[in-house]
């Protein structure tokens, strides 16, 4: 983002927050003091923070630093937008997907933009490998729903940092509840609070008995198998 006459800085809020309360947290708040100074005194600076945690989830001292800020919720793409991203990532992109493959990507990712692009990248890589090995004709090769299913293990591996960050951003009670859901337990009245939280974080459906993004569920299932 660039506005004439202004300077812009992008910082990843998760990275700072993790540094402040990690396994070996730093006692220095110099980065936060610097940020506060910019917010208060540098009118031509625009700071954009991003992170998976809501402001209400941060420690109390953060409110002293993130003053005069505005929170904007970034959610998933609309389905029509995700379909455009899949089928026309760049101008004049060839039609390489069967309709069922596009539907499968939409279903697996729930239109989460990073995951949509990651799945598409791996599908294109699969098609290119098959073309090089003469398993498909370059002029007619199209991705199928089966191809999308085939790249899921690679997607989970390549997207490990994204999935790990999502998992680590949750509390022990959040993770415990997700384990219960995966093991087939039915939510109870006592689970309303954690369901609301995980729904707001776009991990579970409002009913609390299903994941919004199947790829996230598959990753957590894989984690539990390895425990």
């Amino acid at each position: 983002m660039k506005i004439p006459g202004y300077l812009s800085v992008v910082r990843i809020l998760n990275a700072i927050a993790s540094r402040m309360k990690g396994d070996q947290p730093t006692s220095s708040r110099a980065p936060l003091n610097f940020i506060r100074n910019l917010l208060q005194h540098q009118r031509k600076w625009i700071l954009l923070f991003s992170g998976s945690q809501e402001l209400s989830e941060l420690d109390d001292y953060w409110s002293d630093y993130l003053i005069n800020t505005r929170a904007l919720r970034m959610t998933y793409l609309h389905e029509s937008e995700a379909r455009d991203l899949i089928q026309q990532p760049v101008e004049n992109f060839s039609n390489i997907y069967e309709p069922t493959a596009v539907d499968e990507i939409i279903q697996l990712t729930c239109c989460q933009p990073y995951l949509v692009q990651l799945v598409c990248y791996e599908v294109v890589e699969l098609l290119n490998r098959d073309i090089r090995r003469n398993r498909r004709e370059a002029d007619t090769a199209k991705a199928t729903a089966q191809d999308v299913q085939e790249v899921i293990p690679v997607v989970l591996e390549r997207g490990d940092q994204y999935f790990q960050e999502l998992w680590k951003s949750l509390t022990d009670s959040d993770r415990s509840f997700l384990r219960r859901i995966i093991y087939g337990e039915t939510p109870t009245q006592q689970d309303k609070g954690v369901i609301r939280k995980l729904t707001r974080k776009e991990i579970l459906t409002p009913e609390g008995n299903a994941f919004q993004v199947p790829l996230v569920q598959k990753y957590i299932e894989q984690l539990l198998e390895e425990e």
Side-chain angles (χ1 to χ4, degrees):
M1 177 177 64
K2 185 67 175 177
I3 300 176
Y6 285 79
L7 297 173
S8 58
V9 174
V10 178
R11 291 295 303 227
I12 305 303
L13 186 58
N14 279 2
I16 303 175
S18 297
R19 182 67 175 160
M20 298 297 290
K21 61 177 184 179
D23 293 334
Q24 294 180 320
T26 176
S27 59
S28 173
R29 296 186 182 175
L32 298 180
N33 290 324
F34 173 70
I35 289 170
R36 180 169 58 185
N37 182 272
L38 289 178
L39 289 171
Q40 290 179 321
H41 304 295
Q42 301 297 326
R43 294 184 178 276
K44 289 192 175 183
W45 283 70
I46 296 174
L47 280 75
L48 174 63
F49 304 91
S50 67
S52 60
Q53 291 178 297
E54 296 183 346
L55 296 181
S56 60
E57 297 177 284
L58 298 175
D59 292 331
D60 291 340
Y61 62 78
W62 279 90
S63 61
D64 293 333
Y65 294 96
L66 298 180
I67 57 176
N68 300 326
T69 57
R70 179 184 176 190
L72 298 174
R73 185 176 181 82
M74 303 300 292
T75 185
Y76 303 147
L77 299 172
H78 294 299
E79 184 173 325
S80 60
E81 295 170 331
R83 289 183 181 275
D84 287 343
L85 179 61
I86 295 167
Q87 298 174 295
Q88 288 293 319
V90 294
E91 190 175 355
N92 299 321
F93 188 74
S94 300
N95 180 17
I96 64 167
Y97 296 98
E98 296 286 352
T100 54
V102 177
D103 293 340
E104 190 71 11
I105 296 172
I106 295 292
Q107 191 273 329
L108 282 172
T109 64
C110 196
C111 302
Q112 204 280 357
Y114 167 71
L115 294 178
V116 168
Q117 293 178 84
L118 179 59
V119 173
C120 289
Y121 175 84
E122 295 303 336
V123 169
V124 170
E125 288 292 289
L126 174 63
L127 288 181
N128 287 336
R129 284 196 300 271
D130 283 356
I131 290 170
R132 288 194 298 268
R133 296 169 183 170
N134 297 318
R135 295 176 179 174
R136 310 193 202 205
E137 295 293 330
D139 295 337
T140 60
K142 285 196 175 185
T144 66
Q146 182 177 346
D147 292 326
V148 176
Q149 285 289 323
E150 186 175 335
V151 302
I152 288 177
V154 182
V155 167
L156 297 181
E157 179 181 349
R158 295 284 174 83
D160 182 70
Q161 291 300 313
Y162 166 80
F163 294 114
Q164 279 283 357
E165 179 59 37
L166 178 65
W167 184 245
K168 289 178 180 178
S169 73
L170 302 175
T171 64
D172 289 341
S173 60
D174 297 337
R175 291 192 285 262
S176 177
F177 181 75
L178 292 179
R179 287 187 180 93
R180 289 169 48 201
I181 295 301
I182 286 175
Y183 292 144
E185 293 187 28
T186 302
T188 66
Q189 287 293 108
Q190 287 72 32
D191 297 318
K192 281 187 175 181
V194 69
I195 290 173
R196 280 196 300 270
K197 177 184 176 183
L198 294 175
T199 299
R200 194 169 60 248
K201 292 177 76 70
E202 298 182 321
I203 295 175
L204 292 182
T205 60
E207 296 76 22
N209 58 1
F211 284 76
Q212 289 191 30
V213 183
L215 280 177
V216 171
Q217 178 174 352
K218 290 179 183 297
Y219 180 81
I220 296 177
E221 287 173 344
Q222 182 174 282
L223 277 184
L224 299 183
E225 289 176 0
E226 295 171 356
E227 286 184 344

